[in-house]
Amino acid sequence: MQSTLAPPLQLAKIPTYIYAVVFSSLCIVWGLLWDIMWHMSIGRDGLFAPPHLLMYIGAVVAGLFSGFKILQLTFARMNPERAASVRFWGVFYGSLGAMYCVWGALTMLTSAPFDDWWHNTYGLDVQILTPPHTVLLIGMMTVQFGAMIGVLALQNRFSQNLSMNESETDPPAQRLKVMFTISAGLLLSILYTMLAEKMGSWASHHSSSYITMSIAFPFYLLAVGRASSLRYPITITAAAYMLTMLIPSWILPLFPATPRLGPVLNPITHYQPFVFPLLLIAPGFVLDKLLHRFGNGRLNDWLLAALTGTAFVLVITPVQWYFGGFLHTSPNAQNWFFLSSSMSYDTDPTWPYHYKFHPHWLEPLPDFLKGIGIALVCAILSARIGLLWGNWMKRVQR
C-alpha cells in the first residue's frame, strides 16, 4: 500500500473504471434517497421497485468494472499496473479501491432479498437502521469508500511521480482532485443519511444533536482535508454532499405519488422530499482555512485536532441552531427549496409540533451548555482520528 512500492504513473487519461465507480456511488446515494422518499410517499416497495433498481445498477456497475480490473491484473502478467496492485487470497491482484467495490457490491446485492424477507415478515418499517438496511448501508459505504480510495490512489501516485514536463494543474490531475472530493461528498451523504433521524431541524435546539455531529463529522472532514491536494477540499466536499442530498428532493416532488399502504393520515398526491441537510459547508470552510494556516507540520496534530475540533463546534452550533430553528418554525421555510413542508402520508397533519419545537427537544441553558462541552471533547477526539486517517490516505497508492 505504501507509495515507495508503486511504479511511476504516466497519466494520459483517467481509467474508465474510475469514472464507473464514481458513477456507481452517485447511483447508490440517489437510489437510497429515492427509496426513503418512496417510503414517505407511497409506502411498501417491492424487491424490484425503481429506487432499488437504481441502487442495484450502482452495485452491479461497480462490481463488474472493478471485478474486470481485478481479473485483468490477475491474468495479464505483463501489465505494468500489476506491480502497483495488492495481492489477496494468494491468487488475485487488484487495487484497494477495486477490492472494496467488489465486496461492497456483493454485500448490497445480498441484502436485497434479506430486506424483502424482512418486509414480508414484519411489515413496513419507517426506520433507517433496521438489520437489512444496516447490511445494505455497509455495502453502500464500502462501494463508495472503494470509489474514493480508487481515485485517491491515482491522485497520490500521479502527484508523487511528476516528471519535469508534468504539472499538478494538468487536466487529468485536476480532474482526479475534483473527483476525489466529489466521491468524498457522496460518501458523506450516506453518513449523514444514516444519522439524519438524530440531527433533524426539530432537534437543532438540543445538545444531543451537536454531540452526534461532533462524533460523526470532524474525523471525516479532516481526513478528506488532509488527503486532498486541492486548496478547499472540505468546502468542495461539503458542497457536493449538499447538492447530492438536495437535487432528488427538489426534483422528485414534481412527480405524482399516492400512498398504497394504510393508514393514510395525510392524503398526499406527489412525492414528499427528504430533509434539508446540515450546513456543513460553514465549518468546512473554516476547517480548510485552519489547515492552510496550521497544517503541513506547522502545528502538532493533537494541537491541530484541538483547534479544528473546537472550531467545528463553535461554528456548527450557532449556524445550525438558527438555521434549524428557521427550518422548523418559519413559514418561509415551508416551500420547495427548504423542504420544511414535507410530511409523509402516515403523519397526522394536525399534530401541534410540526412547526414548533416539542418540549422534549428543548433543554435548559445549563444542560445545553453541558452537552456542548461534551460535544467539544468528542469533536477534538474525532478530529484527531480524522487527521490520523488522513495521514494514511495520503500514502495510499495501490
Side-chain angles (χ1 to χ4, degrees), residues 31 34-35 38 45-57 271:
W34 188 1
D35 189 50
W38 183 291
D45 51 358
L47 184 61
F48 298 105
H52 291 174
L53 291 177
L54 184 57
M55 287 187 280
Y56 302 156
I57 288 172
Y271 273 101

Side-chain angles (χ1 to χ4, degrees), residues 39 44-45 115-125 133:
H39 278 273
R44 176 72 169 90
D45 51 358
D115 186 50
D116 192 58
W117 169 84
W118 182 274
H119 284 301
N120 291 333
T121 304
Y122 298 105
L124 177 69
D125 60 75
H133 289 172

Side-chain angles (χ1 to χ4, degrees), residues 284-295:
F285 179 76
V286 174
L287 294 181
D288 274 331
K289 286 292 189 181
L290 291 175
L291 288 180
H292 293 164
R293 178 67 179 84
F294 300 105

Side-chain angles (χ1 to χ4, degrees), residues 34-46 49 51-52 119 123-126 257-264 268 271 344-346:
W34 188 1
D35 189 50
I36 292 171
M37 287 183 271
W38 183 291
H39 278 273
M40 293 173 61
S41 309
I42 298 174
R44 176 72 169 90
D45 51 358
H52 291 174
H119 284 301
L124 177 69
D125 60 75
V126 295
T258 54
R260 297 180 184 173
L261 189 70
V264 180
I268 61 176
Y271 273 101
S344 63
Y345 72 87
D346 58 351

Side-chain angles (χ1 to χ4, degrees), residues 247-303:
I247 287 173
S249 286
W250 286 338
I251 293 177
L252 280 178
L254 300 175
F255 295 90
T258 54
R260 297 180 184 173
L261 189 70
V264 180
L265 303 179
N266 180 32
I268 61 176
T269 59
H270 288 74
Y271 273 101
Q272 297 299 291
F274 189 32
V275 293
F276 201 97
L278 298 177
L279 296 180
L280 293 177
I281 197 168
F285 179 76
V286 174
L287 294 181
D288 274 331
K289 286 292 189 181
L290 291 175
L291 288 180
H292 293 164
R293 178 67 179 84
F294 300 105
N296 297 322
R298 297 186 183 93
L299 203 63
N300 173 277
D301 274 359
W302 273 108
L303 294 177

